[in-house]
Amino acid sequence: MEFMILRRANQSTERGQQPPALEPGTFLKPSTEAVRLLRRGGEWSQLHGPFAPRELVAGFTLIEAASKEDAIEQVRWWPLFDSGAVYEIRDAGCPGNCHGFDERGTVAGNVPRRDEALTRYVIFIRSDAGAEADLVPPPEVIDRMNDYNEAGVQQGVLLAGEGLKATATATRVHFANSKTSVVDGPFTEVKELIAGYWMVQAASMDEAIAWAKVYPYPGDGDLTLEIREACERIAHQEFTPEMRAAEERLRAELLETELREAFKKKARGG
């Protein structure tokens, strides 16, 4: 099974700090450089960042796991880096038969080609009531999206894309000091959620915006997109000896807390 792990943003990620847990994966530049596109009544408008951290994703990665429980366990033992991290575990895939793709290629066998001279931009489609209800678009709409994705890869524009299922099956893992907590969806703050993404490569933000505006999205109603510049690999922060020492201290505190809770439960006859 494939899951997308979204690193929710906070003040540290908005300052540009990049947790190594998302390597390999995609980390995003702070929202000071982000743009939101709003389609209302068929007309487009733009909002420029920064945006509230609680509404943002700082980065993401796709993982394979035997079950959601296995995915949760993997995330629980990722490098902590900062004690305020929140990771959202989502089932990958969109309703209907819209095909996700990445560097492994598309269902038609087209393989994205990275052009190092171009900048990578991630286009998030923000969630809404329809996405949270897992509404399935008509087959002809899905076919049009799949065809457009294939053409985008062939043209050297699209590098990856994937939908996300509603948060009814999602889970968040919260790291807080020496404790972790697991919270199951659905999550009610719909405007803070992501329903899917595309990664494009373009010469500028304006080019990425132009591409985003002509994509054949499911439905002609209101739509909110968020365009973020991705950090290149060289920009990722190394996991330094100091960070490793901090990680070991946090893990020791976490283990001590879990053991203490287990002893208390046993003493109560649990």
Side-chain angles (χ1 to χ4, degrees):
M1 300 174 67
E2 192 170 56
F3 298 89
M4 180 175 282
I5 314 299
L6 303 169
R7 180 22 159 112
R8 303 298 308 185
N10 59 12
Q11 295 294 339
S12 67
T13 61
E14 278 294 278
R15 289 193 296 268
Q17 297 180 24
Q18 303 169 7
L22 287 174
E23 189 67 62
T26 301
F27 200 80
L28 305 170
K29 290 192 174 182
S31 69
T32 51
E33 302 178 44
V35 172
R36 282 185 181 166
L37 298 180
L38 287 71
R39 188 179 68 187
R40 303 290 186 266
E43 298 294 326
W44 289 99
S45 61
Q46 294 185 25
L47 294 176
H48 293 266
F51 303 110
R54 68 178 181 276
E55 301 175 359
L56 301 172
V57 169
F60 59 92
T61 190
L62 287 166
I63 66 169
E64 293 285 344
S67 64
K68 188 174 77 168
E69 290 71 25
D70 180 45
I72 292 170
E73 193 62 20
Q74 288 187 47
V75 173
R76 278 170 53 86
W77 291 101
W78 278 1
L80 293 178
F81 183 64
D82 64 340
S83 62
V86 177
Y87 289 97
E88 187 172 291
I89 302 171
R90 302 282 298 275
D91 288 287
C94 60
N97 196 29
C98 188
H99 307 303
F101 61 97
D102 54 24
E103 69 275 3
R104 294 170 293 184
T106 68
V107 292
N110 295 307
V111 178
R113 304 180 306 277
R114 176 74 177 107
D115 185 342
E116 298 294 340
L118 300 176
T119 301
R120 293 181 305 155
Y121 296 93
V122 176
I123 302 170
F124 289 118
I125 183 168
R126 307 290 305 191
S127 195
D128 57 20
E132 275 296 283
D134 271 341
L135 296 181
V136 180
E140 61 272 18
V141 173
I142 294 292
D143 289 344
R144 189 160 59 245
M145 293 171 64
N146 285 332
D147 289 345
Y148 206 87
N149 289 342
E150 293 286 354
V153 172
Q154 290 178 311
Q155 294 162 4
V157 176
L158 271 176
L159 297 174
E162 183 62 273
L164 297 177
K165 295 183 179 176
T167 63
T169 61
T171 296
R172 284 179 179 167
V173 178
H174 295 245
F175 294 97
N177 298 320
S178 59
K179 297 181 180 180
T180 62
S181 61
V182 177
V183 179
D184 290 325
F187 304 121
T188 57
E189 63 281 17
V190 175
K191 71 175 185 178
E192 300 177 6
L193 302 175
I194 300 298
Y197 84 101
W198 295 264
M199 183 183 291
V200 303
Q201 53 184 2
S204 66
M205 174 67 82
D206 287 342
E207 278 194 11
I209 290 172
W211 186 92
K213 286 183 176 180
V214 298
Y215 188 87
Y217 300 101
D220 298 322
D222 292 350
L223 180 71
T224 300
L225 307 173
E226 183 175 295
I227 305 182
R228 306 279 299 278
E229 183 176 338
C231 295
E232 299 302 332
R233 294 292 185 190
I234 194 171
H236 281 255
Q237 185 173 0
E238 296 295 330
F239 205 30
T240 64
E242 292 77 13
M243 292 164 62
R244 291 187 184 281
E247 161 76 8
E248 290 172 1
R249 288 194 299 271
L250 284 170
R251 286 294 177 199
E253 292 172 5
L254 176 60
L255 179 59
E256 182 181 349
T257 299
E258 290 183 344
L259 288 173
R260 188 182 303 115
E261 293 298 322
F263 285 136
K264 286 181 180 178
K265 184 177 180 181
K266 185 175 182 180
R268 292 194 298 267

